[in-house]
Amino acid sequence: MSAWQPLPDDLPPEVRHFVEQVRLLKDRTGLSLAALGARTAYSKSSWQRYLNATQPPPRQAIAALCRVAGLAPADAERFGVRWELAVQAWPRPPAPDPAKPGQQEQQDGVYEEEVPTLPWWVESGSGSGSGSGTGSSGASEEVPVDSSRRVLLVAVLLVLVLALVAVVGAVAFG
């Protein structure tokens, strides 16, 4: 078993419970952080941040850990619910001072970004054991999906298809 560093005292209870459960699950795998990183496409340093509660993990990282640990779909889904509760309660870093342009929050040498909660239709089969989303694909770090960009892309594609149909119609019937 790993000797975990103590979690901060000011963590909300939902976050503390979630991180403790993720630590237990990681320990149950018997893998080192480096081996876990190799099996999940999330780096050792990312797992250190997630397991020490300095950064919330992406849902896909938790789904990958559940797969590596061999959890049943129902148990993996419970981890998804715990993740949702924890992310909602996760302490946000203080906003940058507007008086200092170009300032970014930095923690442990990594620039932090808020990980958005994705709508149910965007998430990659959590709890289904489908293996979609993350895995050992060799991706280096997590890339949160920005659902507003996805909607914009779909809208642009629809406009292009409509324009193409209009041009084809004008040529064929014109």
Side-chain angles (χ1 to χ4, degrees):
M1 289 294 172
S2 299
W4 295 105
Q5 71 181 28
L7 294 172
D9 292 332
D10 60 346
L11 273 182
E14 300 88 351
V15 175
R16 178 175 298 280
H17 177 71
F18 173 72
V19 172
E20 288 169 349
Q21 293 300 309
V22 173
R23 285 177 169 188
L24 289 173
L25 185 60
K26 182 267 174 209
D27 286 344
R28 200 172 100 183
T29 67
L31 298 172
S32 67
L33 290 177
L36 182 61
R39 304 255 322 257
T40 63
Y42 293 89
S43 69
K44 173 185 173 183
S45 61
S46 291
W47 281 110
Q48 286 173 327
R49 290 190 302 275
Y50 307 153
L51 294 165
N52 290 318
T54 58
Q55 178 182 348
R59 185 181 189 113
Q60 295 85 355
I62 298 306
L65 175 60
C66 290
R67 280 191 298 276
V68 168
L71 285 187
D75 292 331
E77 186 61 32
R78 280 192 276 282
F79 264 93
V81 171
R82 286 187 194 119
W83 174 86
E84 288 179 22
L85 294 172
V87 168
Q88 290 173 3
W90 211 284
R92 302 285 183 233
D97 185 356
K100 297 179 182 175
Q103 174 189 11
Q104 290 181 319
E105 290 298 316
Q106 187 179 16
Q107 186 173 5
D108 296 341
V110 176
Y111 289 100
E112 305 293 339
E113 292 182 18
E114 184 176 322
V115 177
T117 302
L118 301 176
W120 63 268
W121 64 86
V122 177
E123 295 190 14
S124 59
S126 66
S128 67
S130 66
S132 63
T134 61
S136 55
S137 64
S140 61
E141 282 292 314
E142 59 273 10
V143 180
V145 176
D146 184 358
S147 60
S148 62
R149 285 186 186 163
R150 183 170 286 186
V151 169
L152 180 61
L153 177 62
V154 169
V156 168
L157 288 174
L158 285 173
V159 167
L160 289 174
V161 168
L162 288 173
L164 181 62
V165 168
V167 169
V168 170
V171 169
F173 299 109

